[in-house]
mmCIF file with all atom_site columns, all heavy atoms in Angstrom:
data_model
loop_
_atom_site.group_PDB
_atom_site.id
_atom_site.type_symbol
_atom_site.label_atom_id
_atom_site.label_alt_id
_atom_site.label_comp_id
_atom_site.label_asym_id
_atom_site.label_entity_id
_atom_site.label_seq_id
_atom_site.pdbx_PDB_ins_code
_atom_site.Cartn_x
_atom_site.Cartn_y
_atom_site.Cartn_z
_atom_site.occupancy
_atom_site.B_iso_or_equiv
_atom_site.pdbx_formal_charge
_atom_site.auth_seq_id
_atom_site.auth_comp_id
_atom_site.auth_asym_id
_atom_site.auth_atom_id
_atom_site.pdbx_PDB_model_num
ATOM 1   N N   . THR Z 1 166 ? 4.216  -2.496 33.174 1.00 0.00 ? 166 THR Z N   1
ATOM 2   C CA  . THR Z 1 166 ? 3.006  -1.993 32.582 1.00 0.00 ? 166 THR Z CA  1
ATOM 3   C C   . THR Z 1 166 ? 1.928  -1.849 33.901 1.00 0.00 ? 166 THR Z C   1
ATOM 4   O O   . THR Z 1 166 ? 1.334  -0.846 33.858 1.00 0.00 ? 166 THR Z O   1
ATOM 5   C CB  . THR Z 1 166 ? 2.416  -2.944 31.551 1.00 0.00 ? 166 THR Z CB  1
ATOM 6   O OG1 . THR Z 1 166 ? 3.384  -2.964 30.487 1.00 0.00 ? 166 THR Z OG1 1
ATOM 7   C CG2 . THR Z 1 166 ? 1.084  -2.508 31.051 1.00 0.00 ? 166 THR Z CG2 1
ATOM 8   N N   . ASN Z 1 167 ? 1.653  -2.942 34.623 1.00 0.00 ? 167 ASN Z N   1
ATOM 9   C CA  . ASN Z 1 167 ? 0.666  -2.997 35.501 1.00 0.00 ? 167 ASN Z CA  1
ATOM 10  C C   . ASN Z 1 167 ? 0.907  -1.851 36.618 1.00 0.00 ? 167 ASN Z C   1
ATOM 11  O O   . ASN Z 1 167 ? 0.038  -1.164 36.931 1.00 0.00 ? 167 ASN Z O   1
ATOM 12  C CB  . ASN Z 1 167 ? 0.548  -4.286 36.168 1.00 0.00 ? 167 ASN Z CB  1
ATOM 13  C CG  . ASN Z 1 167 ? -0.929 -4.585 36.614 1.00 0.00 ? 167 ASN Z CG  1
ATOM 14  O OD1 . ASN Z 1 167 ? -1.887 -4.385 35.889 1.00 0.00 ? 167 ASN Z OD1 1
ATOM 15  N ND2 . ASN Z 1 167 ? -1.047 -4.997 37.867 1.00 0.00 ? 167 ASN Z ND2 1
ATOM 16  N N   . GLU Z 1 168 ? 2.132  -1.823 37.123 1.00 0.00 ? 168 GLU Z N   1
ATOM 17  C CA  . GLU Z 1 168 ? 2.436  -0.828 38.117 1.00 0.00 ? 168 GLU Z CA  1
ATOM 18  C C   . GLU Z 1 168 ? 2.256  0.556  37.491 1.00 0.00 ? 168 GLU Z C   1
ATOM 19  O O   . GLU Z 1 168 ? 1.789  1.485  38.187 1.00 0.00 ? 168 GLU Z O   1
ATOM 20  C CB  . GLU Z 1 168 ? 3.989  -1.039 38.539 1.00 0.00 ? 168 GLU Z CB  1
ATOM 21  C CG  . GLU Z 1 168 ? 4.300  -0.027 39.716 1.00 0.00 ? 168 GLU Z CG  1
ATOM 22  C CD  . GLU Z 1 168 ? 5.576  -0.256 40.331 1.00 0.00 ? 168 GLU Z CD  1
ATOM 23  O OE1 . GLU Z 1 168 ? 6.433  -0.996 39.557 1.00 0.00 ? 168 GLU Z OE1 1
ATOM 24  O OE2 . GLU Z 1 168 ? 6.088  0.226  41.325 1.00 0.00 ? 168 GLU Z OE2 1
ATOM 25  N N   . MET Z 1 169 ? 2.707  0.761  36.253 1.00 0.00 ? 169 MET Z N   1
ATOM 26  C CA  . MET Z 1 169 ? 2.635  2.028  35.612 1.00 0.00 ? 169 MET Z CA  1
ATOM 27  C C   . MET Z 1 169 ? 1.209  2.535  35.474 1.00 0.00 ? 169 MET Z C   1
ATOM 28  O O   . MET Z 1 169 ? 0.720  3.650  35.895 1.00 0.00 ? 169 MET Z O   1
ATOM 29  C CB  . MET Z 1 169 ? 3.367  2.128  34.297 1.00 0.00 ? 169 MET Z CB  1
ATOM 30  C CG  . MET Z 1 169 ? 3.133  3.306  33.446 1.00 0.00 ? 169 MET Z CG  1
ATOM 31  S SD  . MET Z 1 169 ? 2.964  3.034  31.658 1.00 0.00 ? 169 MET Z SD  1
ATOM 32  C CE  . MET Z 1 169 ? 1.392  2.159  31.657 1.00 0.00 ? 169 MET Z CE  1
ATOM 33  N N   . PHE Z 1 170 ? 0.414  1.594  35.032 1.00 0.00 ? 170 PHE Z N   1
ATOM 34  C CA  . PHE Z 1 170 ? -1.071 1.950  34.867 1.00 0.00 ? 170 PHE Z CA  1
ATOM 35  C C   . PHE Z 1 170 ? -1.716 2.291  36.038 1.00 0.00 ? 170 PHE Z C   1
ATOM 36  O O   . PHE Z 1 170 ? -2.436 3.469  36.201 1.00 0.00 ? 170 PHE Z O   1
ATOM 37  C CB  . PHE Z 1 170 ? -1.814 0.840  34.071 1.00 0.00 ? 170 PHE Z CB  1
ATOM 38  C CG  . PHE Z 1 170 ? -3.209 1.177  33.802 1.00 0.00 ? 170 PHE Z CG  1
ATOM 39  C CD1 . PHE Z 1 170 ? -3.666 1.745  32.680 1.00 0.00 ? 170 PHE Z CD1 1
ATOM 40  C CD2 . PHE Z 1 170 ? -4.241 0.782  34.635 1.00 0.00 ? 170 PHE Z CD2 1
ATOM 41  C CE1 . PHE Z 1 170 ? -4.976 2.054  32.437 1.00 0.00 ? 170 PHE Z CE1 1
ATOM 42  C CE2 . PHE Z 1 170 ? -5.563 1.073  34.488 1.00 0.00 ? 170 PHE Z CE2 1
ATOM 43  C CZ  . PHE Z 1 170 ? -5.904 1.809  33.338 1.00 0.00 ? 170 PHE Z CZ  1
ATOM 44  N N   . TRP Z 1 171 ? -1.657 1.635  37.069 1.00 0.00 ? 171 TRP Z N   1
ATOM 45  C CA  . TRP Z 1 171 ? -2.258 1.771  38.340 1.00 0.00 ? 171 TRP Z CA  1
ATOM 46  C C   . TRP Z 1 171 ? -1.697 2.891  39.139 1.00 0.00 ? 171 TRP Z C   1
ATOM 47  O O   . TRP Z 1 171 ? -2.482 3.616  39.936 1.00 0.00 ? 171 TRP Z O   1
ATOM 48  C CB  . TRP Z 1 171 ? -2.415 0.505  39.147 1.00 0.00 ? 171 TRP Z CB  1
ATOM 49  C CG  . TRP Z 1 171 ? -3.281 -0.532 38.562 1.00 0.00 ? 171 TRP Z CG  1
ATOM 50  C CD1 . TRP Z 1 171 ? -2.932 -1.730 37.991 1.00 0.00 ? 171 TRP Z CD1 1
ATOM 51  C CD2 . TRP Z 1 171 ? -4.650 -0.409 38.330 1.00 0.00 ? 171 TRP Z CD2 1
ATOM 52  N NE1 . TRP Z 1 171 ? -4.150 -2.373 37.470 1.00 0.00 ? 171 TRP Z NE1 1
ATOM 53  C CE2 . TRP Z 1 171 ? -5.145 -1.564 37.724 1.00 0.00 ? 171 TRP Z CE2 1
ATOM 54  C CE3 . TRP Z 1 171 ? -5.732 0.601  38.714 1.00 0.00 ? 171 TRP Z CE3 1
ATOM 55  C CZ2 . TRP Z 1 171 ? -6.526 -1.651 37.432 1.00 0.00 ? 171 TRP Z CZ2 1
ATOM 56  C CZ3 . TRP Z 1 171 ? -6.951 0.330  38.406 1.00 0.00 ? 171 TRP Z CZ3 1
ATOM 57  C CH2 . TRP Z 1 171 ? -7.483 -0.806 37.719 1.00 0.00 ? 171 TRP Z CH2 1
ATOM 58  N N   . ALA Z 1 172 ? -0.409 3.195  38.961 1.00 0.00 ? 172 ALA Z N   1
ATOM 59  C CA  . ALA Z 1 172 ? 0.170  4.417  39.560 1.00 0.00 ? 172 ALA Z CA  1
ATOM 60  C C   . ALA Z 1 172 ? -0.697 5.554  39.005 1.00 0.00 ? 172 ALA Z C   1
ATOM 61  O O   . ALA Z 1 172 ? -0.869 6.608  39.878 1.00 0.00 ? 172 ALA Z O   1
ATOM 62  C CB  . ALA Z 1 172 ? 1.549  4.515  39.213 1.00 0.00 ? 172 ALA Z CB  1
ATOM 63  N N   . TRP Z 1 173 ? -0.939 5.669  37.766 1.00 0.00 ? 173 TRP Z N   1
ATOM 64  C CA  . TRP Z 1 173 ? -1.887 6.758  37.187 1.00 0.00 ? 173 TRP Z CA  1
ATOM 65  C C   . TRP Z 1 173 ? -3.204 6.645  37.631 1.00 0.00 ? 173 TRP Z C   1
ATOM 66  O O   . TRP Z 1 173 ? -3.836 7.582  38.152 1.00 0.00 ? 173 TRP Z O   1
ATOM 67  C CB  . TRP Z 1 173 ? -1.610 6.663  35.694 1.00 0.00 ? 173 TRP Z CB  1
ATOM 68  C CG  . TRP Z 1 173 ? -2.701 7.625  34.955 1.00 0.00 ? 173 TRP Z CG  1
ATOM 69  C CD1 . TRP Z 1 173 ? -2.782 8.938  35.047 1.00 0.00 ? 173 TRP Z CD1 1
ATOM 70  C CD2 . TRP Z 1 173 ? -3.673 7.188  34.063 1.00 0.00 ? 173 TRP Z CD2 1
ATOM 71  N NE1 . TRP Z 1 173 ? -3.780 9.401  34.102 1.00 0.00 ? 173 TRP Z NE1 1
ATOM 72  C CE2 . TRP Z 1 173 ? -4.331 8.388  33.594 1.00 0.00 ? 173 TRP Z CE2 1
ATOM 73  C CE3 . TRP Z 1 173 ? -4.057 5.898  33.612 1.00 0.00 ? 173 TRP Z CE3 1
ATOM 74  C CZ2 . TRP Z 1 173 ? -5.399 8.307  32.710 1.00 0.00 ? 173 TRP Z CZ2 1
ATOM 75  C CZ3 . TRP Z 1 173 ? -5.124 5.841  32.720 1.00 0.00 ? 173 TRP Z CZ3 1
ATOM 76  C CH2 . TRP Z 1 173 ? -5.804 7.119  32.242 1.00 0.00 ? 173 TRP Z CH2 1
ATOM 77  N N   . ALA Z 1 174 ? -3.939 5.532  37.241 1.00 0.00 ? 174 ALA Z N   1
ATOM 78  C CA  . ALA Z 1 174 ? -5.322 5.373  37.453 1.00 0.00 ? 174 ALA Z CA  1
ATOM 79  C C   . ALA Z 1 174 ? -5.807 5.485  38.874 1.00 0.00 ? 174 ALA Z C   1
ATOM 80  O O   . ALA Z 1 174 ? -6.703 6.143  39.208 1.00 0.00 ? 174 ALA Z O   1
ATOM 81  C CB  . ALA Z 1 174 ? -5.797 4.032  36.875 1.00 0.00 ? 174 ALA Z CB  1
ATOM 82  N N   . PHE Z 1 175 ? -5.002 4.829  39.730 1.00 0.00 ? 175 PHE Z N   1
ATOM 83  C CA  . PHE Z 1 175 ? -5.421 4.873  41.288 1.00 0.00 ? 175 PHE Z CA  1
ATOM 84  C C   . PHE Z 1 175 ? -5.176 6.250  41.722 1.00 0.00 ? 175 PHE Z C   1
ATOM 85  O O   . PHE Z 1 175 ? -5.984 6.816  42.439 1.00 0.00 ? 175 PHE Z O   1
ATOM 86  C CB  . PHE Z 1 175 ? -4.666 3.870  41.965 1.00 0.00 ? 175 PHE Z CB  1
ATOM 87  C CG  . PHE Z 1 175 ? -4.925 3.826  43.523 1.00 0.00 ? 175 PHE Z CG  1
ATOM 88  C CD1 . PHE Z 1 175 ? -6.139 3.271  43.938 1.00 0.00 ? 175 PHE Z CD1 1
ATOM 89  C CD2 . PHE Z 1 175 ? -4.160 4.478  44.438 1.00 0.00 ? 175 PHE Z CD2 1
ATOM 90  C CE1 . PHE Z 1 175 ? -6.462 3.292  45.296 1.00 0.00 ? 175 PHE Z CE1 1
ATOM 91  C CE2 . PHE Z 1 175 ? -4.312 4.523  45.770 1.00 0.00 ? 175 PHE Z CE2 1
ATOM 92  C CZ  . PHE Z 1 175 ? -5.486 3.938  46.254 1.00 0.00 ? 175 PHE Z CZ  1
ATOM 93  N N   . THR Z 1 176 ? -4.097 6.897  41.554 1.00 0.00 ? 176 THR Z N   1
ATOM 94  C CA  . THR Z 1 176 ? -3.777 8.152  42.080 1.00 0.00 ? 176 THR Z CA  1
ATOM 95  C C   . THR Z 1 176 ? -4.759 9.217  41.667 1.00 0.00 ? 176 THR Z C   1
ATOM 96  O O   . THR Z 1 176 ? -5.280 9.928  42.628 1.00 0.00 ? 176 THR Z O   1
ATOM 97  C CB  . THR Z 1 176 ? -2.223 8.618  41.610 1.00 0.00 ? 176 THR Z CB  1
ATOM 98  O OG1 . THR Z 1 176 ? -1.380 7.629  42.136 1.00 0.00 ? 176 THR Z OG1 1
ATOM 99  C CG2 . THR Z 1 176 ? -2.002 10.061 42.247 1.00 0.00 ? 176 THR Z CG2 1
ATOM 100 N N   . TRP Z 1 177 ? -5.103 9.258  40.482 1.00 0.00 ? 177 TRP Z N   1
ATOM 101 C CA  . TRP Z 1 177 ? -6.040 10.373 39.949 1.00 0.00 ? 177 TRP Z CA  1
ATOM 102 C C   . TRP Z 1 177 ? -7.437 10.139 40.519 1.00 0.00 ? 177 TRP Z C   1
ATOM 103 O O   . TRP Z 1 177 ? -8.248 11.052 40.461 1.00 0.00 ? 177 TRP Z O   1
ATOM 104 C CB  . TRP Z 1 177 ? -5.937 10.399 38.475 1.00 0.00 ? 177 TRP Z CB  1
ATOM 105 C CG  . TRP Z 1 177 ? -4.872 11.209 37.958 1.00 0.00 ? 177 TRP Z CG  1
ATOM 106 C CD1 . TRP Z 1 177 ? -3.684 10.993 37.778 1.00 0.00 ? 177 TRP Z CD1 1
ATOM 107 C CD2 . TRP Z 1 177 ? -5.071 12.717 37.448 1.00 0.00 ? 177 TRP Z CD2 1
ATOM 108 N NE1 . TRP Z 1 177 ? -2.848 12.014 37.368 1.00 0.00 ? 177 TRP Z NE1 1
ATOM 109 C CE2 . TRP Z 1 177 ? -3.685 13.109 37.103 1.00 0.00 ? 177 TRP Z CE2 1
ATOM 110 C CE3 . TRP Z 1 177 ? -6.135 13.464 37.318 1.00 0.00 ? 177 TRP Z CE3 1
ATOM 111 C CZ2 . TRP Z 1 177 ? -3.426 14.411 36.675 1.00 0.00 ? 177 TRP Z CZ2 1
ATOM 112 C CZ3 . TRP Z 1 177 ? -5.940 14.821 36.899 1.00 0.00 ? 177 TRP Z CZ3 1
ATOM 113 C CH2 . TRP Z 1 177 ? -4.495 15.162 36.459 1.00 0.00 ? 177 TRP Z CH2 1
#
Side-chain angles (χ1 to χ4, degrees):
T166 300
N167 208 49
E168 184 179 12
M169 174 216 65
F170 181 87
W171 290 111
W173 168 66
F175 178 77
T176 301
W177 274 80

